[in-house]
Amino acid sequence: MALDFRKIEQFLFREARLADENAYDDWFALWDDHEETVYWVPCNHDDVDPERELSIIYDNISRLNLRLKRVQTGMAWTQEPKSRVRRIIGNIEISELENELIEVGANFQATEVRVNVNTPFFWHGRYIYHLRPEGEGFKIRLKKVLLLNNDQEMTQLTFLV
Amino acid sequence: MVANLSAGSSSIDYDELVKEDRIHSRLYYDEAIFQQELEQVWYRQWVFIGHDSEVPNRGDYRTGMIGRQPIIICRGDDDKVRVFMNRCRHRGMTLCQLKKGNSGGFVCPYHGWTYKNTGEVNKIPLEETYGTQLDRNSVNLIEVARLDSYRGFLFASLSAEGRPLMENLGLAKDNIDRFCAMSPTGEITLNHGVYRMKIRANWKMWIENSADGYHVMSTHGSNMYLNAMFGDEQDKKKGGGAGLFNELTARDLGNGHAELDMRPMRRKIGMMATGEWDGKVDEQAVADYKQSMVDFYGKEKAEQILIDGPAHAIVFPNLFIILQELRWSVPVSPDETYIYYAPALLKGAPDEINTMRLREDEGAYGPAGFQLSDDIEVWQRNYSGLDARMNEWILMSRGMGNDRWVDDEGATVEGHLSELNQRTQWAHYKDVMTGKYS
Ligand code: FES
Ligand SMILES: [Fe+2]
């Protein structure tokens, strides 16, 4: 498989924009409906063993679906009104995995503005994706978010990081 | 003439600020009151600092805070757990920078003094040049004045005086027992990660909310909705308006401790406290877990434990025992509090059960949790609301005048999502702040 860097990069940018803009349905459609799909934000350190250690987020596809439904109930107060977010992605690195998947690493910086707080929140870290090529595009099998501050006292994290 | 209660007035009269049915907002935002709280509450009372399973092996340590003061919890080479002030005896540098680790001792980088993990000073560079000016027995690490534990729960006090831990715990001891009883060995472990969060709110708002049944329908409305729409049969029984939440009782455990008792609700539902993740239950693991409970406790007691479920109680001033977690708080300033939520795993339970406990924690709690994120939002808006100061009273009268009874264990109980728990916390707070309780 020849890796098309431009295509992968464009996919990442699109994923980021949909997350930034709280476009829940379109964003969810990027995910692979697969039993191994995981949306993962480790806690305390990057190398968490999910069988024995806590994560900030460890969603399978069903819980990810609930997560998105919840913020649309109108009663998820942290996201009422919604955070305004923009993020920058860079330092993209791509490699092939054995099982037809593509691993993509990328650094990110996200700025989050909440309606009732006049200083923005800054989030930084690295994304690790496992993408499954499908047709002209990709499906996300894994998105792992390595937050720089995952061992520090932090505020709520309820936008789509 | 009405007494001037607001911040800026030099007198702090706790009898005027804390009434039985209402309290004054100044208690949350006044810097002078916060300083008095550090002295009266945080540096005098028994404060929860951790669990001994966080330092299972010799040399294991974890840093933490009592109020604003940094500590090191450390298991020495002699297998004894001690709690040191995190400060070099020479010129006061922070000794240990890491959150946790394992070491034979501690090295101060400033001038190179070293200490054993039992607290004794070890090497003092150029010690001979002190001549007779230094008695090395006088410069060991400083330990907290009192350290005691119950079932591995570690409590410390910076005051040498005061009532013993068990007397202070009183009826709350039973909640610790019920929390640990979920384990088929009676033991829990707490070294599986911790959520570290900072909230822009006063530490007392956190304990008020933690024992509050009234907020669930509204604050957690999104989850009630999800349960009703997508939950399993048990969820549906709980969900839908007030539903069975109205069955919860508020229990005044004395000494400021308060329980939101889930047992009346759980006994009606017949809910068994077993894990699941998004409706998927590992039947084999659940069966194995139940069998291991029966093996340890006997059939009847095991069933009662599983129906009653884990405890849900606040131990004043900073421990919250809830479901599968232990939580504790550290005050930073009037408007900031650190909170720590750690999942407790059940020693001896099937791995799958413990993994499900982690998944349950992640779903509900932590910075991205479906419940806690909204709790945090509510606390923060609660604190911000106090900026409006035309009438500064906070109402806590809900349930007063309703039925109240004393149960078999001696706790005062009120139903219908009463604010008894908040009232008892504040009454105790007043006793502590005025020196009536120490
Ligand atoms: S301050 Fe620690 S060795 Fe001097
Ligand atoms: Fe809550």
Side-chain angles (χ1 to χ4, degrees):
Chain A
M1 170 175 50
L3 294 176
D4 184 337
F5 178 83
R6 276 270 159 244
K7 234 170 80 180
I8 292 169
E9 185 193 55
Q10 285 298 308
F11 179 82
L12 259 51
F13 291 168
R14 178 173 149 76
E15 192 262 335
R17 180 172 53 76
L18 294 175
D20 284 350
E21 295 175 357
N22 301 311
Y24 302 114
D25 292 344
D26 291 343
W27 185 74
F28 188 63
L30 302 177
W31 286 80
D32 200 1
D33 185 7
H34 187 275
E35 61 175 6
E36 284 173 20
T37 294
V38 181
Y39 176 40
W40 189 4
V41 184
C43 191
N44 299 296
H45 59 115
D46 294 346
D47 205 12
V48 158
D49 168 8
E51 305 291 307
R52 295 296 289 175
E53 289 176 281
L54 192 66
S55 292
I56 294 170
I57 295 174
Y58 192 80
D59 285 358
N60 60 7
I61 197 76
S62 137
R63 182 172 284 175
L64 179 56
N65 185 30
L66 274 188
R67 180 176 299 281
L68 301 177
K69 285 209 161 66
R70 192 184 87 82
V71 291
Q72 295 175 87
T73 58
M75 291 177 282
W77 309 115
T78 311
Q79 283 298 316
E80 284 305 327
K82 306 280 177 271
S83 297
R84 286 166 55 84
V85 183
R86 287 295 171 194
R87 80 197 72 189
I88 307 282
I89 293 180
N91 302 48
I92 299 172
E93 292 178 278
I94 297 173
S95 57
E96 275 175 275
L97 298 175
E98 280 171 5
N99 44 5
E100 302 279 308
L101 298 178
I102 303 166
E103 180 167 284
V104 184
N107 291 352
F108 73 94
Q109 297 200 350
T111 304
E112 179 195 15
V113 176
R114 293 185 204 155
V115 67
N116 50 358
V117 186
N118 64 6
T119 33
F121 296 85
F122 299 109
W123 302 85
H124 317 270
R126 186 160 180 82
Y127 293 137
I128 307 290
Y129 296 87
H130 289 179
L131 302 179
R132 183 176 63 76
E134 187 187 81
E136 281 303 289
F138 306 95
K139 292 286 183 187
I140 304 170
R141 180 68 61 82
L142 168 76
K143 182 179 181 183
K144 191 171 177 183
V145 184
L146 309 177
L147 291 173
L148 281 186
N149 64 333
N150 63 18
D151 69 339
Q152 302 290 337
E153 289 79 7
M154 66 171 75
T155 178
Q156 303 113 299
L157 177 58
T158 51
F159 69 95
L160 300 175
V161 67
Chain B
M1 169 85 197
V2 180
N4 182 5
L5 303 177
S6 298
S9 112
S10 54
S11 76
I12 303 169
D13 182 344
Y14 290 96
D15 285 326
E16 286 300 319
L17 296 168
V18 181
K19 299 292 187 189
E20 191 191 359
D21 64 335
R22 61 187 58 208
I23 59 123
H24 195 274
S25 303
R26 181 184 173 193
L27 292 159
Y28 300 103
Y29 59 73
D30 188 306
E31 181 64 42
I33 289 178
F34 182 78
Q35 291 304 326
Q36 288 188 6
E37 289 171 350
L38 288 178
E39 297 303 326
Q40 293 295 114
V41 178
W42 295 94
Y43 303 153
R44 213 174 282 263
Q45 305 299 314
W46 287 106
V47 172
F48 179 78
I49 54 168
H51 191 269
D52 67 10
S53 63
E54 294 180 81
V55 287
N57 303 308
R58 292 164 197 230
D60 285 349
Y61 64 84
R62 161 162 95 61
T63 50
M65 299 285 281
I66 297 177
R68 302 308 310 132
Q69 303 195 36
I71 55 167
I72 310 171
I73 304 168
C74 182
R75 188 181 291 273
D77 281 340
D78 57 358
D79 207 26
K80 190 174 167 204
V81 175
R82 296 179 179 80
V83 177
F84 306 117
M85 303 315 291
N86 190 358
R87 169 188 169 122
C88 177
R89 291 304 311 280
H90 176 222
R91 271 159 53 186
M93 185 158 158
T94 302
L95 199 52
C96 182
Q97 301 292 325
L98 300 180
K99 297 206 161 54
K100 60 179 195 169
N102 180 287
S103 174
F106 302 98
V107 181
C108 179
Y110 197 174
H111 310 94
W113 286 31
T114 69
Y115 303 86
K116 296 180 183 166
N117 57 21
T118 51
E120 291 151 58
V121 71
N122 194 14
K123 292 204 182 63
I124 301 177
L126 303 177
E127 184 176 0
E128 63 284 2
T129 58
Y130 267 106
T132 58
Q133 294 302 310
L134 185 77
D135 171 10
R136 72 163 22 236
N137 292 319
S138 72
V139 289
N140 296 325
L141 292 182
I142 300 286
E143 292 185 46
V144 292
R146 289 184 297 162
L147 174 67
D148 202 352
S149 74
Y150 180 65
R151 301 194 73 155
F153 289 55
L154 296 169
F155 295 85
S157 167
L158 299 187
S159 163
E161 308 292 319
R163 63 195 72 200
L165 174 66
M166 294 314 291
E167 196 184 318
N168 179 63
L169 285 178
L171 292 178
K173 168 186 159 301
D174 177 57
N175 276 275
I176 296 178
D177 290 334
R178 273 153 50 203
F179 184 81
C180 298
M182 304 312 294
S183 161
T185 58
E187 286 181 51
I188 57 128
T189 55
L190 206 69
N191 53 347
H192 308 281
V194 56
Y195 288 134
R196 306 167 191 276
M197 293 161 289
K198 55 180 173 188
I199 58 176
R200 297 184 315 278
N202 185 269
W203 64 273
K204 300 184 292 301
M205 291 172 163
W206 179 77
I207 62 171
E208 284 169 356
N209 172 269
S210 298
D212 179 53
Y214 190 28
H215 81 289
V216 177
M217 295 172 291
S218 180
T219 301
H220 303 302
S222 66
N223 294 293
M224 307 290 279
Y225 176 83
L226 289 188
N227 283 347
M229 295 298 289
F230 308 106
D232 61 16
E233 286 310 308
Q234 287 193 346
D235 287 333
K236 288 194 178 116
K237 281 189 217 166
K238 278 187 290 176
L244 282 172
F245 278 101
N246 199 22
E247 303 282 337
L248 306 185
T249 53
R251 289 183 84 220
D252 174 356
L253 304 175
N255 299 350
H257 316 318
E259 175 177 7
L260 184 62
D261 195 351
M262 318 282 266
R263 288 174 296 181
M265 177 182 87
R266 299 179 67 106
R267 285 170 185 169
K268 276 213 171 145
I269 299 178
M271 189 195 300
M272 302 298 259
T274 49
E276 62 171 80
W277 185 22
D278 294 337
K280 273 181 279 178
V281 179
D282 184 333
E283 304 285 354
Q284 188 58 49
V286 169
D288 291 348
Y289 169 60
K290 284 182 181 163
Q291 187 57 49
S292 67
M293 292 291 282
V294 169
D295 292 346
F296 190 73
Y297 295 103
K299 190 165 187 319
E300 204 176 320
K301 185 158 182 221
E303 275 174 11
Q304 195 61 52
I305 290 170
L306 290 169
I307 288 172
D308 284 351
H312 189 291
I314 276 275
V315 178
F316 190 90
N318 78 327
L319 168 65
F320 185 14
I321 304 164
I322 171 179
L323 303 175
Q324 65 273 9
E325 276 193 341
L326 294 184
R327 307 174 170 180
W328 61 98
S329 69
V330 167
V332 178
S333 56
D335 64 352
E336 188 168 40
T337 307
Y338 288 170
I339 52 176
Y340 301 91
Y341 289 21
L345 299 193
L346 308 176
K347 199 168 170 184
D351 289 345
E352 294 83 356
I353 293 290
N354 278 323
T355 302
M356 282 189 284
R357 284 169 77 90
L358 295 172
R359 296 296 92 84
E360 286 173 343
D361 250 27
E362 289 152 355
Y365 311 124
F370 290 10
Q371 296 198 26
L372 185 80
S373 55
D374 289 333
D375 280 319
I376 293 178
E377 187 66 21
V378 164
W379 302 330
Q380 294 180 159
R381 294 186 193 186
N382 194 172
Y383 192 86
S384 304
L386 306 184
D387 287 345
R389 295 189 182 171
M390 288 292 283
N391 180 325
E392 297 208 65
W393 291 104
I394 304 259
L395 306 183
M396 306 229 160
S397 57
R398 186 179 163 75
M400 281 175 78
N402 286 357
D403 279 355
R404 161 190 304 206
W405 64 96
V406 176
D407 66 17
D408 295 345
E409 292 158 76
T412 302
V413 186
E414 287 180 14
H416 305 296
L417 308 175
S418 160
E419 282 164 338
L420 169 70
N421 284 347
Q422 291 69 34
R423 293 196 299 275
T424 192
Q425 288 171 338
W426 279 104
H428 180 72
Y429 170 88
K430 182 158 80 173
D431 286 347
V432 169
M433 295 305 288
T434 53
K436 287 198 193 89
Y437 184 97
S438 60

